[in-house]
Amino acid sequence: MQYRSLKKPEDAHVRERMRIVMNHKRLKRIYREESLQVRPRKRRRVRLVRGNAVPPPTRLNEEWGLDFMHDRLLNGRKVRLLTIEDRLSREGLALEPNFSITGLRVTETLDDIAAVRGYPSRVRVDNGPENISMAMLRWSVRHGVELHFIDPGKPAQNAWIESFNSRVRDEFLNASAFWTISEMREASAAWLVDYNEIRPHSSLDYLTPKEFVETLTTDPTPQLQVA
C-alpha cells in the first residue's frame, strides 16, 4: 500500500491521488485470507421442501423414500445399506450394501433405478450428510427432482421407509450372516425380489407390490431429463 503526505486533503485532486494502490491479485489474496466472498455465488435452483406438509402420492414415482441402515459382517467389518422405496406401491427399489456410501454413490443408484422406471417427482430424505451433499443437490437440479427433507429428529415423517427398514432388519439382516460384502449383495438382491414379487402386503389389499403396480394405469412423469 502507498500513501502520500499531503497538506490539503480537502482538495478533490489531492484526495484522488491519496487512493490506495492495489492490484487485483493482492485484493483476491486479502479476500481469501479474511474468508470473504471473491465472486457472487450463483443461486442454485434446487427444489427443497421440509416437514410433512405434502399430500400422499397418487401415482407411481411421485415420491420415493430413501434411508440408510447399518450392519456388520462376520469378520466384524461395518457395512452400510442404502434403502429406497416407492411410497405408493411399497416397492423396494434398492437394498444396496457397501462399506462406504457417498452422496455421489447415492445419485448413481438413483440413476440406475430411473433408467428402468423413470425419475421420481420427489425424494423424501433425512438430513444426513449424503443427502445434503453437493452431488445430491446437483442431481436434483439436473433431473428436476424435489428433495423433501424431514424435520430433524422426526423419523416418523418418513415412516414408510422406516417400516421397510424394519422388515429388512427382522427378516434379512437378523436372519442371516455373511463373511463377505459380495455374499450380502447377492442375498439382498434375492430378498428384494421376494419382497416385491412373492410376499403380499396388507396395505396393498394383500397384493404384492408387483401385482399392485399391474392394477394401475399410469402416465410417465414429465422430467427435465429421462434416463
Side-chain angles (χ1 to χ4, degrees), residues 17-218:
R17 298 184 62 184
M18 289 178 64
R19 291 183 305 170
I20 298 175
V21 178
M22 181 180 298
N23 61 33
H24 69 282
K25 293 183 179 180
R26 180 179 297 178
L27 178 63
K28 289 183 178 180
R29 185 174 69 251
I30 293 175
Y31 264 60
R32 285 194 297 268
E33 292 174 352
E34 298 298 328
S35 300
L36 300 175
Q37 184 172 302
V38 178
R39 296 183 180 89
R41 295 180 180 177
K42 295 181 180 179
R43 297 182 62 184
R44 303 189 192 100
R45 298 180 179 179
V46 184
R47 299 167 60 191
L48 303 179
V49 178
R50 184 173 294 281
N52 205 27
V54 174
T58 58
R59 53 184 171 79
L60 288 177
N61 286 355
E62 186 172 351
E63 181 178 304
W64 294 355
L66 185 153
D67 202 9
F68 298 90
M69 302 181 67
H70 301 267
D71 201 56
R72 287 180 182 271
L73 299 177
L74 287 173
N75 59 17
R77 188 167 183 182
K78 293 182 180 179
V79 176
R80 301 189 72 199
L81 294 96
L82 170 63
T83 59
I84 304 175
E85 183 188 46
D86 185 283
R87 181 177 171 186
L88 178 68
S89 66
R90 301 295 196 270
E91 292 175 276
L93 305 181
L95 177 56
E96 181 179 310
N98 215 323
F99 293 122
S100 176
I101 302 178
T102 63
L104 180 60
R105 181 56 192 154
V106 172
T107 63
E108 291 173 349
T109 300
L110 290 168
D111 284 334
D112 290 341
I113 299 171
V116 177
R117 56 185 294 137
Y119 286 91
S121 296
R122 63 177 175 268
V123 179
R124 188 180 294 240
V125 296
D126 61 20
N127 299 272
E130 301 87 0
N131 299 326
I132 63 175
S133 65
M134 287 301 302
M136 194 69 167
L137 296 178
R138 292 191 184 102
W139 177 86
S140 70
V141 173
R142 186 164 59 248
H143 300 295
V145 178
E146 179 181 275
L147 295 182
H148 184 139
F149 290 93
I150 64 174
D151 289 321
K154 294 187 177 181
Q157 291 181 357
N158 204 0
W160 303 269
I161 192 66
E162 294 292 341
S163 176
F164 177 74
N165 288 351
S166 67
R167 295 193 179 192
V168 173
R169 176 66 63 187
D170 294 339
E171 302 172 12
F172 175 63
L173 295 178
N174 290 348
S176 309
F178 306 98
W179 281 106
T180 67
I181 193 71
S182 298
E183 293 176 357
M184 180 177 281
R185 287 172 180 160
E186 183 177 350
S188 66
W191 185 90
L192 203 57
V193 170
D194 179 78
Y195 180 87
N196 289 330
E197 301 182 8
I198 307 299
R199 186 178 315 173
H201 292 243
S202 59
S203 61
L204 303 177
D205 198 20
Y206 294 95
L207 298 174
T208 67
K210 182 179 180 180
E211 292 171 339
F212 177 79
V213 170
E214 291 173 350
T215 66
L216 301 176
T217 302
T218 61

